[in-house]
Amino acid sequence: MKTKSTFFLLLLLALPIALQAQPKPKNGIWPFKINRFDKEGRHHGRWKLYLSGNTTLLRNGRFKHGQERGKWRYYYPDGSIRKIEYHKPNSNEFLIRLFHDNGELEKQGMARTVETELVIHYYWFGTWQVYNRAGQLTHTEYYEKGNEIKLELSRK
């Protein structure tokens, strides 16, 4: 009986030490920390979004006071690139490149976001080029407010 109580007491004493030995999340050092907010609570700086367990990266890019800036990368669960967005400062329009799972370009065109008090609308617009799995242009699509208006097959 004394052995069990001694073991239990040692376990309770060792628990705080074991908890302190756990590695802290690697968020970087200032000013290179990730997933930060500015004073107004808006996303700011480098942001990385992971699937559960902090192992599978889903999205990676930068915010400047709540606005996406520069190149944003989106990934398939296996880590290969799924989508790249190119955001310019002070613009709600941005270029999108979607990729097949084999790494070849699938589709590219422009998108825009329009914010109202209640929602943020995200939609494709203009001419989009569509490519097959070998990376060859197959056709173009034309979008207005996210709806496909016209399809043009490419001629060889």
Side-chain angles (χ1 to χ4, degrees):
M1 185 71 172
K2 186 175 181 178
T3 307
K4 286 184 181 179
S5 61
T6 305
F7 176 75
F8 185 69
L9 181 61
L10 287 173
L11 183 63
L12 285 176
L13 291 173
L15 189 59
I17 295 168
L19 290 176
Q20 288 177 353
Q22 296 293 326
K24 297 192 190 265
K26 295 183 179 180
N27 286 336
I29 58 172
W30 187 89
F32 305 106
K33 287 188 175 185
I34 61 169
N35 299 358
R36 295 181 297 146
F37 296 93
D38 65 9
K39 291 178 182 178
E40 286 77 35
R42 298 173 297 198
H43 295 79
H44 189 70
R46 166 77 55 205
W47 270 76
K48 293 182 179 183
L49 177 65
Y50 291 88
L51 199 57
S52 63
N54 263 359
T55 57
T56 305
L57 183 62
L58 294 178
R59 184 177 184 212
N60 178 14
R62 290 194 175 281
F63 282 98
K64 186 166 184 180
H65 303 293
Q67 299 294 317
E68 293 173 326
R69 293 286 173 91
K71 185 188 287 188
W72 276 84
R73 294 175 184 92
Y74 296 76
Y75 301 92
Y76 284 109
D78 69 358
S80 59
I81 197 76
R82 170 64 184 128
K83 175 172 70 167
I84 298 177
E85 295 177 351
Y86 299 92
H87 295 265
K88 291 184 179 179
N90 303 319
S91 176
N92 62 349
E93 297 178 354
F94 48 97
L95 174 66
I96 296 179
R97 289 188 174 144
L98 297 167
F99 295 88
H100 290 284
D101 57 3
N102 66 358
E104 291 292 335
L105 185 62
E106 177 182 351
K107 197 181 263 201
Q108 73 177 357
M110 296 296 291
R112 118 180 352 123
T113 56
V114 176
E115 295 184 40
T116 66
E117 289 183 19
L118 301 175
V119 295
I120 298 174
H121 295 282
Y122 167 95
Y123 56 87
W124 295 357
F125 72 94
T127 302
W128 280 66
Q129 293 86 29
V130 181
Y131 301 85
N132 63 18
R133 291 184 58 79
Q136 300 164 328
L137 180 66
T138 59
H139 62 278
T140 58
E141 300 168 344
Y142 184 79
Y143 291 87
E144 287 183 7
K145 293 189 177 181
N147 298 312
E148 187 176 338
I149 303 299
K150 187 166 122 182
L151 169 73
E152 291 182 13
L153 299 175
S154 58
R155 296 182 179 102
K156 291 187 179 188

